[in-house]
Every structure is written in structure tokens, then in C-alpha cells.
Amino acid sequence: MQTDIKRPADSYSPLYFLASLGAGGLAVTFFMFLFFWVPHPDQPVPIFEDVMAAFAQGYLPQQIAIVIAWVGIAAMSFLNVKYLAWNFSALSAFSKTEAYEKLRNSNAETTLLAGPLATAMTINAMFIVGLTFVPRLWTVVEYLFPLAMVAFGLVGIWALKIIGDFLGRVLSQGGVFDVTAHNSFAQLLPAFALSMVGVGFAAPAAMSTQTVTVGAALVISTFFAVAALIYTTVAAITAFSSMLQHGTAKEAGPTLMVIVPIVTILSILFLRQSHGLHVTFDVHAEAGDAMIFLARMIAVQVLFLALGLTVLRRQGYFADFVLGPKTSPGSYALVCPGVAFAVLMHFFINKGLVDAGVIVEFGPAYWVLSGIAVISQVLMIALVIRLNRQHFGKSAALAVPAE
């Protein structure tokens, strides 16, 4: 009997940063319980004091939701940081191998963007942890916003450097980009990373009361949003052409739904910008405008979810890589669409339908629609548990890596 069988995660790929990303995204889904179900009249987000007051004075269902949110945020933030730290250590060792040099000279060079993507998510997740668990954080938040912008700036520079290295190589040399291997949306990972940096920059635009901070956040977040939109458009069009000719690469099948998290992130970015423009610069937006904007974004997500799930079902992806014996680090890309759909559904319900007066807050229709978001969240929690067991658990030692 073999005793030296490694876990699949020991055959390292930068895509394992998506394990950290998925956990961070799930922390955000739990924060939605607090954001939309706990009153916070004095600031745009709920803080420790708001949550404690609601727990002390609320009725039992609200208290249960708060406890679930507390546990979920703590557990998923822990996994987010744990897997981020593991990835940095593994990437450091991987960067000294021939496999790393081969990766840097192939289409897969863009998988390195999973690093800044996950790191930007961790910064966002830590801000959520601070809001949820740190008393009186709001009294010093204006000092934290510039620090956060510096952190996101460093991550943004890191992402742009990787993108610059990749595009500089493939556009200057010619013939080094394998178009036949471009038959997935894997090349949208740079756009995903840019959008995550952008939404981080947009947070001070929505929450700061300092005009300079808001203005800087609006301008810089716009730069990253525009960069993400341009990259998404170009990469998606060229990839779709390759997929029509060669079919979708099976292991990269989950990337067909990467549009879903990009849409959620950019939607939140634009909502944050709109709020900042309204509060600081007196630019008004109507509730109906937000509703129809979010409805359009949900429609895009549903269409790409349907496309991705159709292709994955035809390819037998779930039977092989999720429920079966094969493993692929790209499986973690399945978590992002479900998480992103759940988050945007909460925004659509509360910032769209409720604010526009289409449905009543906490009425029957409200809970039916919210149930869709919660079901998506629960499914992604189950998927994360399954994938972590496959790739990092002891039982995963017997898994068969995908070819």
C-alpha cells in the first residue's frame, strides 16, 4: 500500500487561490444578512453597535439570522485567510520550479492573476470582519479608508504588472499565444481581478464623508472598472470564437460562468459610486433606475449560468470533477458564480424591488425571492466543503488528478 500519496493540492496551480476567494465570497453572503436585515440609520453599512442593538432588541428570527451571520462570517473569513496564506507559501515554492517557467510562457500565465484577485477579496473580507466584530470602528474609519486604498493600490499594481507581462509577451512576439487552447473563458481572470480591485476602491466613495477621499475613490475605481470592462469584452469575444471552433476545454468549463461574479462586482461598484455621487456631490438617481439596472445584471447572470451549466452537464463535468474521482483546481471556479448570484439577488431585492416599491420589505414575496439567494448560498457552502475535502483533506489522497 502506498504511503507517499500526495493530496491533489500538492500538485500546485495558482488557481488554488480560488479556494481562498470562494471562502471570502461566502463571508460576504453572510454579511448580506446584516446589511439588509439589521437597521443601520447612522451610516451606510451595519457596524458592531447596530448588530448588538438589533440582537438585544429584535425578535427570535432576527436573532437567529444574526447568529448565523456571525458564525458564517467568522468561519469563512478564517478559511479565506488560511488558504490565502497557504497559497502564498505554495506559490513561493512553485516559483522556483521548471513548471513555473513553463506556465509563465504559456496561455496559463494569466492564472497568476488569481493571486491579486484573492488578496483583494481578503482585504474586503477583513473590512467586513472589522465592521461586524470590532466596537467603535466607525470612529476611526476615515483613517482606515486611505490605508485601504493604499492596500488596494498595491494589489492593483501587482495585477497590472502580471497583465503587462502577459500582454507584452504575446502581443510583441506573435505566435506564442495558443489560440486553440483559448476555448474557455479562462482568459477573463485578469478582468475578474481588475474588477475586484475596483470594487475595493469604490467602498470609500460610498462610505467616506471626506470629499477628497470620495473623489479619489470615484476616479480610481472608474479606471479599474473601465479596464475590467474592456478586458472582459475582448477576451470573451475571442474566446467564444475559439469555443465555437474547438468546443469548450473540459477542465476550464466552469470559467463559462466567470461573467457572473464580474457582473456582481461591477454592479456593486457602480452602486457604490452612485451613492457617493449622491451624498457628496448631490447627483441624484431614482429608485426605478437602480431596479432596472439590477434587473438587467441579474438577466446577464441567469443567461451565463444557464449556458455554463448546460455545457458542464453535457461534458459530465460534475460527475468527474465534483462528485467523481478526478480533481481539478479549476473546480473552485464553480463557487464564484453561485456566491455572486446570491449577493446580487440580495441587492436586486432590497436596493431594486423594495426601494422602488414593487414589493414590501419582509413580506411574503420578499422572503420567497430571498430564499433563492439563500439556497444558492447553501449550495456553495456544500460545494466548498466538498472541494476542500477533495483537494486538501486526507481522503483526497486517493483522488485521481485530471489529465
Side-chain angles (χ1 to χ4, degrees), residues 248-257 305-319 334:
T248 304
K250 186 172 181 178
E251 280 197 50
T255 64
L256 288 175
M257 297 179 287
L305 283 169
L307 172 65
L309 292 174
T310 298
V311 174
L312 291 174
R313 181 178 62 83
R314 290 288 188 91
Q315 291 182 328
Y317 186 92
F318 291 98
L334 291 169

Side-chain angles (χ1 to χ4, degrees), residues 139-154:
T139 61
V140 297
V141 75
E142 292 295 349
Y143 298 99
L144 297 179
F145 287 143
L147 295 176
M149 291 173 70
V150 169
F152 281 115
L154 293 173

